[in-house]
Amino acid sequence: LSSSRWRQEATSVFHNESEMAEATSYLATNASWGVFLAASLAASPFSHAFKIEMLEPLRSLAVGKKSADLFESLGTRHVQADSMSYLVVPTLLESGMFQEAYRRYITVCGFHRHAVRDTGDMIGRSFEHCNYAKCLEMKRFLSLCQTSLQLAVARSELPALELLEQPQYSDIDEACKYLDKMCTDADKDETPNHLHLPLLSREELAALSDNCDYGILVQCDASREEEVMDAAARRKDMEYRIREAQLATRVLSCTLNAEHRRASELLDDLVACVSSRGVVITMEGCAIDYSDGSAIDKAAVNLIETLKSQQEQTQVMSSSQVVRMGPAVFEACLYRCLIACYRFSIACQATLE
């Protein structure tokens, strides 16, 4: 954008001049970084280091299509679906490229399904040839696959993407059935779905194996301590994503099934989890006594009146502009939408009753 066009667009998004100046500096820095790497890649088109490094500024600028193309050009295969998907999936999600993120997660889950079968066969053949050291190596590899952090992220975030991308779930009954299968936490004789993942505790999250290959990142001027801290921060971010995706999916399931007491408990957990990352979410007026029919009715009436009184014109902004308002602001908007859906369902349920 030209500077005048940028100012025109930005004034509709940011609250004051200081926010706009900060965003302008942020965009300029990442754009310059991206342009420099693009020139480097043009001079050395087969350099994997330049491609991997370029994914960082592209994520900052929410350029999903170019990120997806660059990642595909790396030619990842087999176990790299588990160790390298962290490079591109967050960018795809933040850029609104849900179909591409869905396919990437299906690839991750597919690798792990085949790994369990193939590794078992290889262990058997190693026994046949008395290669017991290889048996132990394969057993360790299988354990790392079964407790993979990236697999847990994929299985946690897939339900929402599945609802978006599969046309059969546009029917509310089918969506409810699917969510029931994906969100059940009780032990059953058979697994409801091969993508199903029970709600993980903090201890179980900490026990997951981080198989991501951070060694491929370009960190020429980073000390060993800084590399360890960076890896720990990335792992923490993935743990948060698992927890939040699992809770959000269960809030949606309980809401659609009119299980508002359970939904309220899960929503409190979700808000606490998101808030612990510094994302401020306001929940005024959400405390409702579900044992009191008049309280539910009053909440429904208040919500309807609020909706009627809000006459603000809706502004349509591209996803990149929304994301660049800052991750915290963007996520707060998303979760406020989730809370609004939850509260709206209470109004609908009260009306039906």
Side-chain angles (χ1 to χ4, degrees), residues 15-71:
H15 299 94
N16 53 53
E17 288 288 335
S18 63
E19 284 189 8
M20 191 164 66
E22 182 180 354
T24 303
S25 174
Y26 181 89
L27 287 171
T29 300
N30 284 282
S32 300
W33 184 12
V35 168
F36 176 79
L37 288 171
S40 303
L41 187 58
S44 181
F46 300 105
S47 171
H48 279 35
F50 285 142
K51 293 178 181 179
I52 292 172
E53 174 77 355
M54 196 170 179
L55 290 172
E56 287 292 332
L58 290 179
R59 179 184 179 182
S60 300
L61 298 169
V63 184
K65 182 65 170 66
K66 180 64 175 178
S67 298
D69 293 343
L70 273 177
F71 187 80

Side-chain angles (χ1 to χ4, degrees), residues 11-276:
T11 50
S12 66
V13 179
F14 301 104
H15 299 94
N16 53 53
E17 288 288 335
S18 63
E19 284 189 8
M20 191 164 66
E22 182 180 354
T24 303
S25 174
Y26 181 89
L27 287 171
T29 300
N30 284 282
S32 300
W33 184 12
V35 168
F36 176 79
L37 288 171
S40 303
L41 187 58
S44 181
F46 300 105
S47 171
H48 279 35
F50 285 142
K51 293 178 181 179
I52 292 172
E53 174 77 355
M54 196 170 179
L55 290 172
E56 287 292 332
L58 290 179
R59 179 184 179 182
S60 300
L61 298 169
V63 184
K65 182 65 170 66
K66 180 64 175 178
S67 298
D69 293 343
L70 273 177
F71 187 80
E72 287 298 321
S73 70
L74 292 174
T76 56
R77 295 289 184 274
H78 197 56
V79 72
Q80 290 172 326
D82 188 55
S83 63
M84 292 179 63
S85 290
Y86 76 95
L87 290 170
V88 72
V89 171
T91 308
L92 298 178
L93 293 173
E94 292 166 8
S95 304
M97 301 186 68
F98 302 124
Q99 181 67 49
E100 289 75 6
Y102 175 77
R103 287 200 294 263
R104 172 50 41 185
Y105 277 153
I106 290 296
T107 300
V108 172
C109 295
F111 157 70
H112 282 282
R113 291 186 72 187
H114 295 144
V116 171
R117 181 194 62 199
D118 296 343
T119 305
D121 294 341
M122 293 177 69
I123 290 176
R125 294 190 63 181
S126 298
F127 265 109
E128 290 176 2
H129 294 84
C130 301
N131 190 348
Y132 304 119
K134 182 63 68 175
C135 290
L136 294 175
E137 181 182 338
M138 289 294 101
K139 185 175 183 299
R140 179 177 177 275
F141 173 76
L142 183 60
S143 176
L144 292 176
C145 287
Q146 291 174 332
T147 60
S148 168
L149 182 67
Q150 181 62 69
L151 176 62
V153 172
R155 292 167 69 184
S156 299
E157 296 186 337
L158 257 176
L161 295 173
E162 190 104 33
L163 290 176
L164 280 173
E165 300 301 330
Q166 300 303 316
Q168 68 267 29
Y169 297 129
S170 59
D171 180 79
I172 193 66
D173 292 331
E174 291 299 319
C176 286
K177 291 177 183 177
Y178 173 75
L179 285 170
D180 286 343
K181 289 181 180 180
M182 299 303 293
C183 297
T184 179
D185 295 317
D187 293 332
K188 295 188 176 182
D189 295 335
E190 57 181 1
T191 304
N193 188 302
H194 74 277
L195 297 176
H196 169 260
L197 183 68
L199 188 61
L200 300 177
S201 66
R202 299 187 185 281
E203 293 74 20
E204 290 170 325
L205 284 173
L208 294 175
S209 172
D210 188 356
N211 304 328
C212 296
D213 185 4
Y214 301 123
I216 61 176
L217 296 173
V218 180
Q219 296 177 319
C220 301
D221 57 347
S223 65
R224 177 57 184 165
E225 291 75 13
E226 289 173 329
E227 291 177 0
V228 171
M229 290 175 62
D230 179 67
R234 290 177 183 270
R235 179 193 173 97
K236 197 68 177 176
D237 178 66
M238 295 175 77
E239 290 180 1
Y240 274 123
R241 284 168 56 194
I242 294 170
R243 182 68 176 169
E244 291 166 20
Q246 288 196 305
L247 289 172
T249 304
R250 283 159 175 77
V251 169
L252 180 59
S253 177
C254 293
T255 300
L256 292 177
N257 287 299
E259 300 171 2
H260 298 305
R261 290 181 180 83
R262 176 59 176 157
S264 180
E265 295 172 359
L266 291 168
L267 187 61
D268 288 341
D269 291 341
L270 176 60
V271 170
C273 183
V274 177
S275 299
S276 66

